[in-house]
Amino acid sequence: MYFIFEIEFSSNKNYIAELIRAYARQEQVEVDVLQSAEKITMIFNKDDENLEHFLLGIEEIIPASLFLGKGKHYFAEEKPVLMPVSKSKLPLNIAPCPTCQKEMFDVSSRRYYYPFTSCNHCGSQHPFVDKYPYERPNTFMKFLAPCEDCLSETKKNALRLDYPLISCIECGIAIRMLDKESEHLALNKGDYRRLFEVSGRAIAKGKHVLMKTTHGFRKFFKPTAEYSPVTSTLLMADVNGFNVHLMMVEQEFNALLSIERPLLRVATKSDELKALYGSSVQVKYPDDGMTMLLARELMTAGLQYISYIECDSDEEADFLVDFDMPINPQQDMKIFINQDKKLFVSGKRILFPAAVQSNKNRVIVAHDLACVQTGKQSVIDSVAVFDTVDTEELYVLETEDFDGGHSNEHRFEQYEASMMSVLAEHYKVGQKAIGVHFDGSLNFLYYNGKKVINAVPAIAFESDNLWEKVSTLREGSDRLVGNYKKAYPEVFDRLDNLEGDMDIFEVTAIALGLEDESIEGISAEALSFLGKGGLQIDTRVKDNRFDNYAFLTSIMSYQLGGVESNFMCYSIYESLGDYIGEIVPQLMDKTEATVITLTGETFANQSLYGRIQKTLGAKNPLMNKSFPIGKENAVYGALYL
């Protein structure tokens, strides 16, 4: 008789399953741990006397995860037969696990206040990787020799067996703090503690601290009315501050505290945050050893939150906290939550590197990511970690500045690779499908089972000579432009002198006077509208194609009518949702396709997503599960072109 314990786990990442296996070795419990596509299954002999102790212990060592769901247990006469996911030794880039966190805050530990504490199953590993395979000689840690205690751990500590990045205060990375007059080097436990204590107190007093973290340089500060940049991220130091300052559903709270530590836009609640950031703010919980230790000292100094901007090493600040070790930081991962639905929006941390199954000897390059065949599988990771490789064919994103010099090189479009990534994840390759790709511009796609066709492309948008294009759109448009110039002379002049290639949403944000002049700014403004039902904004003029100029003209008309900007932003997404909900069924009828895919960062908006669910929800549109819905999915989708 077997005792079976299952936990839902919606990822092919194996750090939770490997952590359970390591804990079983530590506790000398016999258990089969199998990870399949949607769950982790533990199989025990029901008469094992250590079973209860082991299950109670698991609650202490397993971290909260974005991918973990509900658990259940049952008894069975025979062992379940499952198709396990492939194991792969790839570097992680997540927060420290509960066991490693305990070490960082245990004064008797060799890793007390040591910010690079990690194990095989957690921590910021990827920033220290120079190339594959993932072994210490191929990491920046190769310059440091492990001490005797660390070497002993690699043989005896179940969580750190053969761990490539093992280190502690005695043999690891030294950190230092500099101000304009002096330099302080941390060499022992007391030094490390004092360095973070001084940093926390300095921020509490209004000073700016530039800190090198494993995610790159960040300038930390206490936000004020005079200094709270719209591009800054709110770092919640105290978990008790969430309910005080932010308006969140349970799923958002759990996501922020997960070991993956994503970026999430959340509605503000307290008056002080509303005054600083408006109706919503991008939020983060401490995500590596440096920020965790800083957060502990911030709480001691009486702060529940601070802010930071990502920046270069030469950013002006009162203090610099640095360490002499190269790193390869990854772009942070933004996620979007709508009820029980979680979407990865954009970024590389958490999801990359990724192992994918492929029998093609094909290298793909897109957005500084490469997909390279290694053995029976392919690995997607930063271009920088791969040496020269032999390949039969090279696929490069059309907009990528990359010259591989390969005789069999192919260029591909973002929209076609994005659509194929969704079809591949849902095992729909070869089936007719309609796709909507919405990332700055809106395109309707048709996949005939072999090729992706841009069936209803957007009318190209050019931001130069904008008023000339708007005034000739239709009869009466020239009068609209004249009235707009009188009512909003400063905005008119700004739009009359645009420089660079700007998309329609950047231009719209400028017209509406938003501080964040981007689609992110429009999305944030839409969140502040609490009513129901929006205005109908023009989305097309001819051939059912999305017309950027008609769209902008409609917004200008409503502006002249005195419509508030948050109502306008909300209406933008509602109107786009209605437009998509009208065009997609028409294309499905014409092509007899039964599958719908949605790709592009623009779908990560509550108003638009909700409208799409209302108009197309019954048709079950598909989106990425294990890859971002934004541009980074192209490097996976191109495997299927």
Side-chain angles (χ1 to χ4, degrees):
M1 180 72 73
Y2 297 96
F3 176 79
I4 317 295
F5 186 45
E6 294 179 350
I7 310 175
E8 294 174 355
F9 193 74
S10 57
S11 171
N12 60 2
K13 303 295 182 186
N14 48 38
Y15 44 86
I16 299 294
E18 289 295 334
L19 178 58
I20 295 171
R21 292 188 186 103
Y23 182 64
R25 286 193 296 270
Q26 176 182 303
E27 299 300 309
Q28 298 182 334
V29 172
E30 290 189 18
V31 56
D32 290 336
V33 182
L34 303 175
Q35 183 175 345
S36 53
E38 298 294 336
K39 61 186 176 182
I40 296 172
T41 303
M42 290 166 266
I43 307 171
F44 307 86
N45 185 320
K46 83 173 187 65
D47 297 323
D48 191 329
E49 59 184 19
N50 294 322
L51 178 57
E52 183 177 356
H53 173 75
F54 178 80
L55 292 175
L56 290 173
I58 279 180
E59 293 183 11
E60 298 293 324
I61 64 110
I62 293 183
S65 170
L66 282 171
F67 307 112
L68 278 173
K70 297 177 181 178
K72 69 175 184 178
H73 65 273
Y74 58 93
F75 294 93
E77 293 288 343
E78 298 181 358
K79 283 188 176 182
V81 178
L82 300 169
M83 287 295 293
V85 297
S86 299
K87 296 181 183 179
S88 54
K89 188 178 181 182
L90 297 174
L92 305 172
N93 199 1
I94 53 180
C97 68
T99 303
C100 287
Q101 288 186 52
K102 284 181 181 178
E103 284 188 86
M104 287 200 304
F105 295 109
D106 179 0
V107 70
S108 66
S109 165
R110 300 186 345 267
R111 298 184 176 91
Y112 179 65
Y113 267 70
Y114 180 60
F116 309 104
T117 301
S118 59
C119 70
N120 276 313
H121 322 289
C122 76
S124 301
Q125 302 173 20
H126 189 275
F128 296 106
V129 174
D130 186 30
K131 60 184 178 180
Y132 284 117
Y134 176 37
E135 299 166 350
R136 193 175 185 100
N138 292 334
T139 72
F140 300 126
M141 284 279 197
K142 65 186 175 186
F143 302 112
L144 302 175
C147 64
E148 289 187 11
D149 286 332
C150 282
L151 284 174
S152 177
E153 273 193 275
T154 62
K155 299 178 178 65
K156 297 178 181 178
N157 185 334
L159 301 184
R160 295 197 177 99
L161 292 177
D162 300 318
Y163 181 45
L165 299 182
I166 195 162
S167 65
C168 67
I169 286 179
E170 297 300 320
C171 62
I173 304 171
I175 56 177
R176 56 181 181 166
M177 186 174 197
L178 298 88
D179 58 22
K180 295 176 181 177
E181 298 178 355
S182 58
E183 176 180 346
H184 305 279
L185 189 65
L187 298 172
N188 55 48
K189 295 179 184 180
D191 292 340
Y192 277 83
R193 173 68 187 269
R194 279 191 293 275
L195 189 149
F196 286 101
E197 186 177 27
V198 171
S199 298
R201 287 179 178 175
I203 294 170
K205 292 178 180 178
K207 302 293 185 181
H208 291 187
V209 175
L210 178 63
M211 182 176 288
K212 183 178 180 181
T213 74
T214 53
H215 304 311
F217 279 92
R218 293 170 171 174
K219 183 165 80 169
F220 296 97
F221 55 91
K222 184 167 67 173
T224 63
E226 292 75 30
Y227 190 79
S228 56
V230 69
T231 56
S232 64
T233 297
L234 187 74
L235 182 74
M236 293 301 300
D238 185 354
V239 70
N240 295 316
F242 277 101
N243 290 330
V244 175
H245 299 291
L246 301 169
M247 197 177 301
M248 299 187 301
V249 296
E250 182 181 358
Q251 293 91 331
E252 291 173 325
F253 180 84
N254 292 340
L256 286 168
L257 269 63
S258 70
I259 193 170
E260 291 83 15
R261 299 291 204 271
L263 277 171
L264 186 63
R265 182 162 288 279
V266 176
T268 52
K269 181 179 180 180
S270 66
D271 291 339
E272 60 186 86
L273 267 195
K274 285 182 183 295
L276 293 170
Y277 285 102
S279 60
S280 68
V281 63
Q282 193 162 263
V283 183
K284 162 77 78 170
Y285 196 55
D287 55 359
D288 76 332
M290 299 291 284
T291 49
M292 280 186 171
L293 295 170
L294 176 62
R296 171 63 69 89
E297 297 306 323
L298 290 169
M299 291 167 60
T300 302
L303 295 180
Q304 288 190 316
Y305 65 85
I306 58 171
S307 293
Y308 70 86
I309 57 170
E310 295 180 341
C311 56
D312 296 326
S313 59
D314 57 357
E315 178 74 18
E316 184 68 27
D318 300 294
F319 294 92
L320 169 66
V321 177
D322 199 359
F323 55 88
D324 290 325
M325 177 70 69
I327 57 168
N328 285 322
Q330 289 182 294
Q331 181 187 1
D332 222 334
M333 182 63 66
K334 295 179 182 178
I335 69 165
F336 170 75
I337 293 177
N338 183 280
Q339 297 179 0
D340 290 330
K341 186 76 170 180
K342 288 190 289 285
L343 298 174
F344 295 97
V345 181
S346 64
K348 298 183 175 71
R349 195 182 65 80
I350 302 173
L351 298 186
F352 300 105
V356 295
Q357 298 302 313
S358 173
N359 55 9
K360 295 179 180 178
N361 187 9
R362 175 185 294 182
V363 169
I364 300 161
V365 177
H367 305 297
D368 196 37
L369 288 168
C371 182
V372 177
Q373 189 178 52
T374 57
K376 294 182 179 180
Q377 63 183 9
S378 293
V379 172
I380 301 173
D381 202 352
S382 169
V383 172
V385 301
F386 294 109
D387 284 335
T388 303
V389 296
D390 293 324
T391 183
E392 293 177 359
E393 50 187 0
L394 174 66
Y395 275 64
V396 182
L397 183 68
E398 186 62 51
T399 56
E400 198 82 11
D401 183 17
F402 182 87
D403 183 10
H406 200 280
S407 59
N408 189 15
E409 180 175 323
H410 305 266
R411 290 277 170 168
F412 63 90
E413 297 287 350
Q414 175 74 48
Y415 65 80
E416 56 180 336
S418 289
M419 184 177 188
M420 293 307 299
S421 74
V422 178
L423 294 172
E425 279 203 73
H426 292 272
Y427 307 102
K428 302 292 185 182
V429 174
Q431 299 183 32
K432 288 184 178 181
I434 298 300
V436 184
H437 184 70
F438 198 179
D439 200 355
S441 62
L442 176 57
N443 296 281
F444 294 90
L445 316 172
Y446 170 53
Y447 173 64
N448 61 13
K450 295 180 180 180
K451 184 180 180 181
V452 177
I453 301 163
N454 196 351
V456 187
I459 296 174
F461 177 70
E462 296 176 352
S463 56
D464 60 324
N465 299 319
L466 182 64
W467 295 123
E468 179 182 340
K469 298 182 178 83
V470 171
S471 63
T472 57
L473 180 67
R474 58 168 73 98
E475 186 178 350
S477 294
D478 55 341
R479 291 194 299 276
L480 175 68
V481 171
N483 292 334
Y484 194 86
K485 182 177 182 178
K486 292 178 182 177
Y488 302 99
E490 293 183 4
V491 174
F492 184 92
D493 289 342
R494 173 85 189 278
L495 295 178
D496 197 31
N497 295 284
L498 293 175
E499 295 182 2
D501 187 19
M502 304 181 76
D503 66 42
I504 182 61
F505 295 105
E506 292 176 288
V507 172
T508 299
I510 292 171
L512 294 176
L514 304 183
E515 186 176 358
D516 184 354
E517 296 174 347
S518 68
I519 193 166
E520 181 78 14
I522 296 173
S523 181
E525 186 73 6
L527 283 175
S528 67
F529 178 69
L530 303 178
K532 292 184 178 181
L535 301 163
Q536 187 61 49
I537 295 174
D538 273 353
T539 50
R540 61 194 182 281
V541 168
K542 56 185 178 181
D543 303 327
N544 278 335
R545 298 171 70 188
F546 179 74
D547 191 303
N548 297 280
Y549 304 108
F551 175 80
L552 185 60
T553 300
S554 183
I555 288 169
M556 290 164 51
S557 298
Y558 283 127
Q559 265 190 293
L560 290 171
V563 176
E564 295 290 334
S565 62
N566 61 350
F567 188 22
M568 192 95 73
C569 291
Y570 175 84
S571 300
I572 286 172
Y573 287 107
E574 273 215 337
S575 298
L576 290 167
D578 289 340
Y579 172 47
I580 292 168
E582 182 181 338
I583 300 298
V584 168
Q586 292 178 25
L587 293 173
M588 294 179 75
D589 289 341
K590 290 180 181 179
T591 61
E592 298 182 349
T594 57
V595 177
I596 304 171
T597 68
L598 306 176
T599 53
E601 291 184 32
T602 311
F603 284 110
N605 172 273
Q606 297 292 353
S607 303
L608 178 59
Y609 186 86
R611 202 67 172 183
I612 292 292
Q613 290 302 306
K614 185 176 181 179
T615 58
L616 294 178
K619 298 182 183 296
N620 189 31
L622 305 178
M623 302 183 77
N624 288 106
K625 299 184 297 181
S626 301
F627 293 96
I629 64 173
K631 59 188 180 182
E632 293 87 359
N633 59 16
V635 77
Y636 172 63
L639 279 172
Y640 298 89
L641 294 175

